[in-house]
Amino acid sequence: MADEFADVEVGPEPAAGARVQIRKPDGKRVVRRFEKEGPVRALYAFIVQSDDDAQAGRPFVLKAGFPPKDLIGDIDGTFESCGLDGGAVQMVWRVD
């Protein structure tokens, strides 16, 4: 997973954009803005590029909504079309 997203351009954080709260497995929370029309792929890239374990190749799942839904199916959708603006995303380490 890390190889797939390591080179994806995340871009600078916009002053106004889709605000997403990421709940990490260790309980920490990270809030970041992304372009509203940007692809959800940028969120995966942000995680891989900013989390040491994910960068080292540890697989993870991102879930949002209620009931929580895996976002991988919406990876090419936009933050706005996926309803992530102002939402929370939970990051969970994948156990195979």
Side-chain angles (χ1 to χ4, degrees), residues 10-70:
V10 176
E13 185 171 9
R19 181 185 177 277
V20 179
Q21 177 180 268
I22 304 158
R23 294 183 202 150
K24 298 181 82 177
D26 63 4
K28 293 181 182 174
R29 294 171 190 225
V30 177
V31 177
R32 190 181 194 286
R33 292 187 184 275
F34 296 87
E35 295 292 338
K36 287 185 180 188
E37 293 302 319
V40 173
R41 179 177 305 277
L43 177 57
Y44 281 84
F46 173 76
I47 298 285
V48 167
Q49 294 169 22
S50 65
D51 184 275
D52 291 338
D53 288 331
Q55 195 169 41
R58 189 169 181 186
F60 62 92
V61 177
L62 296 179
K63 296 183 177 188
F66 188 81
K69 174 185 157 195
D70 189 342

Side-chain angles (χ1 to χ4, degrees), residues 55-82:
Q55 195 169 41
R58 189 169 181 186
F60 62 92
V61 177
L62 296 179
K63 296 183 177 188
F66 188 81
K69 174 185 157 195
D70 189 342
L71 291 176
I72 198 72
D74 294 322
I75 198 163
D76 292 318
T78 67
F79 286 91
E80 190 167 52
S81 70
C82 293

